[in-house]
């Protein structure tokens, strides 16, 4: 495998793989560096029903596997590993991938974002089996069910309101009485007849068995009284924010205050010529597989245009 590429892509989720598809079909022979979780957040998603072209839905890992096979067909190569450091001060750019040095004329960053999770017992095992970190992705599966949203920010309020389109009842669980959310979002949630509030409640564990029907409830501890009880539920949505995977690029690429990469105008170009961003790493708003794939396409076309004019 050559250590130098015209296009190098960091990330093997829908953004990175779509970028690889377009770059490969443009005869740019891209190399994709897959991190510790190849496929990104789709690999921990069970049923995907909102990706176009699959009338009966598709499993997240299967969708990623299909994309993987498609891009390999056009000559994309893959490296399993983590990028330890990057030098974007001059072209070709230099990357250290687990001790191996790779260089590239253009770089597409598709490292995604990671949902903040609670880190309590049962969360990992029940993720996709009643526990979710994406209301837009999974709300449809809870029609007529009683569910909860855990969090106290704008995202939690927004997701709770959205989920009332499906659920019969939404309990918003927060460990304090005061919210980080804006007053207007709190008022909107409080005025929704389907939303109830469980305040001063600290989640201790998710209760249930993935093989036996999934989530059964959330074990809670009252912050004031110390009383512990289980709130029986059909679904639980963790809404405490996302963290973009951009630590490698701090001080080099322009970011917003929360760490999402900033792109120039309506392109995927970053502030460093030849470096492009695709998917959730630059998208704090939509965070969907299809929007990530769309920006992956854009990034590959932007990279091709850049190489045509800078080779």
């Amino acid at each position: 495998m050559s250590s130098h590429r015209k296009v190098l892509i960091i990330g093997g989720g829908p953004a990175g793989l779509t970028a690889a598809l377009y770059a490969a079909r443009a005869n740019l022979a891209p190399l994709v560096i897959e991190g510790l979780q190849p496929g990104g957040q789709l690999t921990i998603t069970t049923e995907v029903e909102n990706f176009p072209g699959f009338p009966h839905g598709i499993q997240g890992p299967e969708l990623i596997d299909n994309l993987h096979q498609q891009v390999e067909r056009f000559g994309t190569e893959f490296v399993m590993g983590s990028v330890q450091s990057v030098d974007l001060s001059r072209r070709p750019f230099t990357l250290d991938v687990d001790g191996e040095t790779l260089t590239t004329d253009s770089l597409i960053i598709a490292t995604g974002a990671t949902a903040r999770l609670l880190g309590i017992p049962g969360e990992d095992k029940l993720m996709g089996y009643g526990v979710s970190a994406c209301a837009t992705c999974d709300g449809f599966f809870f029609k007529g069910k009683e569910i909860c949203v855990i969090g106290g920010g704008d995202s939690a309020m927004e997701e709770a309101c959205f989920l009332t389109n499906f659920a019969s009842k939404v309990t918003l669980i927060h460990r304090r009485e005061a919210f980080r959310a804006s007053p207007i979002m709190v008022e909107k949630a409080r005025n929704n007849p389907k939303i109830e509030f469980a305040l001063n409640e600290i989640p201790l564990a998710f209760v249930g068995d993935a093989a036996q029907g999934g989530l059964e409830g959330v074990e809670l501890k009252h912050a004031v009284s110390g009383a512990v009880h289980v709130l029986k539920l059909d679904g639980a949505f963790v809404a405490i924010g996302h963290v973009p995977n951009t630590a490698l690029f701090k001080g080099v690429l322009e970011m917003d205050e929360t760490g999402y990469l900033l792109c120039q105008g309506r392109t995927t170009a970053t502030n460093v010529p030849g470096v492009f961003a695709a998917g959730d790493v630059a998208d704090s708003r939509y965070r969907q597989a299809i929007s990530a794939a769309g920006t992956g396409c854009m990034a590959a076309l932007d990279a091709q245009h850049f190489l045509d004019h800078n080779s």
Side-chain angles (χ1 to χ4, degrees):
M1 182 184 72
S2 170
S3 62
H4 178 76
R5 294 297 169 120
K6 290 181 178 179
V7 178
L8 193 147
I9 300 163
I10 309 176
L17 292 176
T18 305
L21 175 63
Y22 275 78
R25 284 177 51 82
N27 293 322
L28 294 175
L31 175 68
V32 176
I33 301 173
E34 297 184 293
L36 298 177
Q37 188 183 349
Q41 296 182 67
L42 276 183
T43 58
I44 59 171
T45 303
T46 49
E47 191 80 10
V48 178
E49 291 197 329
N50 56 5
F51 198 94
F54 298 95
H56 304 292
I58 186 171
Q59 296 290 307
E62 184 183 359
L63 177 57
I64 286 296
D65 186 56
N66 287 351
L67 284 168
H68 210 286
Q69 292 182 49
Q70 188 176 9
V71 298
E72 280 186 306
R73 174 185 161 205
F74 294 104
T76 297
E77 290 189 67
F78 293 85
V79 168
M80 289 285 293
S82 299
V83 179
Q84 304 301 317
S85 63
V86 296
D87 182 356
L88 306 181
S89 62
R90 62 185 182 275
R91 295 179 59 232
F93 306 125
T94 303
L95 294 84
D96 177 348
V97 183
D98 293 332
E100 182 181 357
T101 299
L102 300 177
T103 59
T104 183
D105 294 322
S106 65
L107 178 66
I108 295 174
I109 300 167
T111 47
T114 303
R116 284 194 181 100
L117 298 178
L118 297 166
I120 60 177
E123 189 171 41
D124 287 345
K125 291 181 180 179
L126 288 166
M127 186 62 66
Y129 297 91
V131 178
S132 173
C134 181
T136 310
C137 309
D138 300 328
F140 180 83
F141 300 114
F142 295 91
K143 281 189 172 181
K145 306 287 188 179
E146 293 193 4
I147 63 176
C148 75
V149 172
I150 301 171
D154 280 349
S155 293
M157 301 298 161
E158 188 174 345
E159 294 207 351
C161 291
F162 171 77
L163 288 165
T164 60
N165 293 316
F166 309 101
S168 60
K169 175 183 172 183
V170 178
T171 300
L172 201 148
I173 299 171
H174 187 43
R175 60 178 56 236
R176 292 181 289 275
E177 283 193 25
F179 295 104
R180 289 179 291 105
S182 58
I184 191 169
M185 290 301 296
V186 175
E187 183 181 4
K188 183 178 178 182
R190 287 196 181 279
N191 289 337
N192 192 309
K194 282 190 174 183
I195 297 178
E196 293 188 5
F197 288 78
L199 304 181
N200 290 319
E201 295 283 6
I202 302 170
L204 298 180
F206 290 108
V207 180
D209 187 330
Q212 301 292 327
L215 180 75
E216 296 174 5
V218 183
E219 185 179 3
L220 301 171
K221 177 181 178 180
H222 196 273
V224 179
S225 69
V228 175
H229 69 105
V230 174
L231 178 64
K232 292 188 177 298
L233 295 162
D234 299 302
F237 289 80
V238 181
I240 55 176
H242 287 73
V243 180
N245 301 321
T246 55
L248 269 176
F249 310 102
K250 284 184 177 174
V252 179
L253 297 179
E254 291 181 353
M255 307 176 183
D256 68 12
E257 64 277 1
T258 54
Y260 287 89
L261 296 181
L262 296 177
C263 294
Q264 312 295 305
R266 294 174 63 86
T267 75
T268 62
T270 68
N271 60 297
V272 174
V275 179
F276 307 91
D280 289 8
V281 76
D283 175 16
S284 62
R285 183 183 180 99
Y286 300 105
R287 296 196 302 266
Q288 299 299 302
I290 187 63
S291 54
T295 56
C297 162
M298 292 164 61
L301 296 175
D302 286 342
Q304 181 183 0
H305 183 268
F306 172 83
L307 294 171
D308 286 345
H309 292 81
N310 293 275
S311 296

